[in-house]
Amino acid sequence: SPDCSFTCHYRCRALVRLDCSGPPGTGDENDGIEQALEKDTNVDEPSEWEKTELDQAQVEQRIKEYNSQINSNLFMSLNKDGSYTGFIKVQLKLVRPVSVPATKRVPSLQAGRSGPRTQGVKRRTSFYLPKGTVKHLHIFSHTRASEVIDALLRKFTVIDNPRKFALFERSEKDEQVYLRKLADEEQPLRLRLLAGPSEKVLSFVLKENETGEVNWDAFTLPELHNFLRILQREEEEHVRQLRHRYARCRQKMQEAL
């Protein structure tokens, strides 16, 4: 696609339903800025509100303060049982392609014959989600991070294993970006309430879950071939960026001379 960066098989293009509006090229620039900001941060540093405990009265007061600070109708609501509901916004920053289901009809080998000679064949197709994709979710205070990941995958009909993804807490401070991976049982709406509505103070990002060693024997041959192609593409892009960086350094040196 010329307007965003998703990639799919040419015969599967008609099956993809995505909003591809927006000027081309902006995602790469933002990614470069983000990487520069993140390179010296500690991703495991706990947030200041991670262990904060609130009683019922404090929760009610926090909800009132939160609702008074937002400029939209995405309010939080306190329920009779003491729980509360509200909205969180999650940005999807995936560098790997995701898999979605695709169903094709296989026609009869002998045309003209009557009868149910066609059947649905389950297939999957992979493509890159557009950079900067965001999704608002309406959740409960007791909704866990793992459940948020499941809900996001259902929204985009992604059929990959949810364990391949992780929800991150992102904050900006002193011109640096801090990322922390949320544990499965953490409650994103509670963090949203404690941090307030500011996206700089706290935002949520869905990324790949880098868990260490990969059991490559668990993948099929087509998947392994796909991984090799993806690695080749990433390597070529990395080489391009390195060459561009060295070319700029060379140019600056020549200008100084």
Side-chain angles (χ1 to χ4, degrees), residues 22-38 91-93 130-134 170 172 177 241:
T26 55
D28 294 336
E29 296 171 5
N30 292 336
D31 277 356
I33 296 172
E34 187 84 342
Q35 290 172 6
L37 289 173
E38 288 180 9
Q91 183 180 14
L92 282 71
K93 297 189 65 175
K131 289 182 174 62
T133 299
V134 296
R170 179 188 184 278
E172 297 180 27
V177 174
Q241 292 178 359

Side-chain angles (χ1 to χ4, degrees), residues 124-240:
R124 64 163 56 188
T125 183
S126 297
F127 65 94
Y128 290 90
L129 279 173
K131 289 182 174 62
T133 299
V134 296
K135 187 68 180 177
H136 285 86
L137 293 176
H138 187 252
I139 61 175
F140 288 90
S141 54
H142 53 76
T143 302
R144 297 177 292 117
S146 59
E147 295 172 322
V148 169
I149 295 174
D150 291 339
L152 286 169
L153 298 184
R154 286 197 303 271
K155 290 283 186 182
F156 290 94
T157 64
V158 174
I159 58 178
D160 293 307
N161 192 320
R163 303 303 301 175
K164 293 182 179 180
F165 307 93
L167 193 64
F168 285 80
E169 167 192 284
R170 179 188 184 278
S171 60
E172 297 180 27
K173 187 178 180 181
D174 299 328
E175 297 185 351
Q176 286 195 355
V177 174
Y178 295 84
L179 285 174
R180 183 180 69 87
K181 186 169 75 171
L182 270 62
D184 287 346
E185 66 276 4
E186 289 194 66
Q187 300 163 336
L189 190 63
R190 175 180 171 274
L191 296 175
R192 178 80 278 166
L193 177 63
L194 292 172
S198 172
E199 289 290 317
K200 285 192 174 183
V201 176
L202 171 71
S203 60
F204 296 108
V205 182
L206 184 73
K207 303 180 73 172
E208 280 84 7
N209 185 19
E210 305 293 347
T211 56
E213 290 298 320
V214 178
N215 181 18
W216 297 110
D217 293 333
F219 293 92
T220 64
L221 283 178
E223 287 177 320
L224 292 173
H225 284 302
N226 259 342
F227 292 151
L228 289 175
R229 285 193 290 268
I230 292 167
L231 288 174
Q232 181 180 358
R233 180 177 298 179
E234 291 179 348
E235 182 181 11
E236 290 171 353
E237 175 62 20
H238 189 59
V239 169
R240 186 191 67 80

Side-chain angles (χ1 to χ4, degrees), residues 35-74:
Q35 290 172 6
L37 289 173
E38 288 180 9
K39 63 181 180 181
D40 294 324
T41 60
N42 181 4
V43 297
D44 297 320
E45 184 175 335
S47 55
E48 58 188 29
W49 51 76
E50 186 180 355
K51 297 182 180 179
T52 304
E53 295 294 338
L54 300 176
D55 58 30
Q56 186 67 18
Q58 290 173 321
V59 168
E60 186 174 358
Q61 180 62 30
R62 290 271 187 149
I63 290 177
K64 290 180 180 178
E65 294 174 358
Y66 182 94
N67 290 340
S68 67
Q69 297 173 28
I70 61 174
N71 299 320
S72 64
N73 59 349
L74 304 180

Side-chain angles (χ1 to χ4, degrees), residues 15 101-107 118-124:
L15 300 171
T103 302
K104 287 209 169 191
R105 304 295 296 182
V106 178
T118 62
Q119 59 179 344
V121 177
K122 291 184 178 179
R123 299 169 182 259
R124 64 163 56 188

Side-chain angles (χ1 to χ4, degrees), residues 243-255:
R243 286 176 176 168
H244 178 68
R245 186 185 307 169
Y246 276 90
R248 289 188 62 184
C249 290
R250 189 179 296 109
Q251 180 184 357
K252 293 294 183 183
M253 291 178 185
Q254 290 174 348
E255 291 175 356

